[in-house]
């Protein structure tokens, strides 16, 4: 994958799945203010299942601190998950993940919760645009989802 002196982008190991779940929860608590505590706990059970059933994720490691700063999960050209530890927000890691994904695919898709305005702004800045909207999330909960797409070079 990619590496420089400060950060490494690499595939995850099975032993790192607990850290992936920690990052998910910390990131959600920092950005998904529209979710109740009960919502977070219910979704966390689904995330644990998702993480445990997915073979690997792409990770960003801070070589100086020796810690995982974020992760991205993909199914073909769809970004299923992209979460950064709050202590590593606004350091360019999300952009690094998108740039890496664009080396694999020329067109990327992502679903973004409409109420997660920070994520929406990030993806729009990266060149994604909304092509569809759903009133409910994939589990039928009343959290509107924006379906976004971007094409490399546009």
């Amino acid at each position: 994958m990619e590496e420089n002196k400060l950060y490494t982008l690499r595939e995850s190991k099975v032993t790192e799945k607990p850290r992936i779940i920690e990052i998910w929860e910390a990131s959600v608590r920092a950005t998904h203010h529209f979710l109740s505590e009960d919502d977070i706990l219910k979704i966390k059970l689904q995330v644990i299942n998702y993480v445990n059933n997915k073979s690997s994720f792409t990770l960003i490691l801070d070589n100086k601190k020796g810690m995982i700063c974020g992760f991205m999960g993909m199914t073909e050209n769809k970004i299923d998950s992209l979460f950064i530890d709050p202590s590593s927000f606004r350091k360019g890691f999300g952009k690094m993940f998108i740039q890496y994904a664009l080396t694999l695919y020329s067109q990327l898709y992502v679903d973004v919760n409409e109420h997660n305005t920070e994520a929406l702004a990030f993806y729009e800045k990266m060149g994604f645009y909304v092509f569809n909207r759903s009133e409910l999330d994939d589990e039928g909960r009343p959290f509107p989802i924006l379906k976004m797409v971007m094409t490399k070079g546009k």
Side-chain angles (χ1 to χ4, degrees):
M1 290 215 159
E2 296 181 27
E3 184 171 358
N4 65 35
K5 291 182 181 182
L6 299 176
Y7 305 104
T8 301
L9 202 62
R10 68 161 173 80
E11 291 302 306
S12 63
K13 300 172 188 164
V14 173
T15 56
E16 294 168 323
K17 288 186 176 188
R19 176 66 180 138
I20 290 169
I21 294 165
E22 283 177 15
I23 291 170
W24 173 85
E25 185 170 3
S27 183
V28 164
R29 289 185 182 282
T31 60
H32 292 57
H33 306 291
F34 53 91
L35 294 176
S36 69
E37 181 66 19
D38 190 49
D39 291 330
I40 292 171
L41 295 176
K42 286 178 183 173
I43 294 169
K44 183 177 179 180
L45 293 175
Q46 294 172 311
V47 170
I48 290 169
N49 189 47
Y50 163 73
V51 169
N52 287 331
N53 287 310
K54 189 151 183 72
S55 59
S56 71
F57 295 85
T58 304
L59 304 178
I60 286 186
L61 284 82
D62 182 325
N63 294 330
K64 198 174 188 180
K65 294 180 181 175
M67 70 176 233
I68 299 168
C69 300
F71 72 93
M72 177 177 67
M74 295 184 72
T75 302
E76 296 177 359
N77 66 336
K78 183 176 183 215
I79 299 168
D80 298 321
S81 53
L82 194 163
F83 291 90
I84 307 296
D85 187 287
S87 67
S88 296
F89 281 179
R90 291 171 189 71
K91 293 186 179 177
F93 296 141
K95 182 177 181 179
M96 288 171 70
F97 278 133
I98 299 300
Q99 289 172 335
Y100 171 70
L102 285 170
T103 68
L104 304 174
Y105 302 98
S106 61
Q107 190 170 58
L108 300 174
Y109 292 89
V110 67
D111 291 350
V112 178
N113 192 293
E114 186 175 67
H115 298 300
N116 187 350
T117 55
E118 289 178 57
L120 180 58
F122 164 75
Y123 285 111
E124 287 175 335
K125 184 177 177 182
M126 292 293 101
F128 285 80
Y129 63 90
V130 176
F131 71 91
N132 201 350
R133 181 182 184 276
S134 173
E135 282 293 323
L136 306 174
D137 69 9
D138 291 340
E139 299 300 318
R141 295 177 293 240
F143 302 120
I145 298 295
L146 301 174
K147 305 222 175 252
M148 302 183 80
V149 63
M150 72 142 351
T151 303
K152 188 187 320 190
K154 285 193 176 182

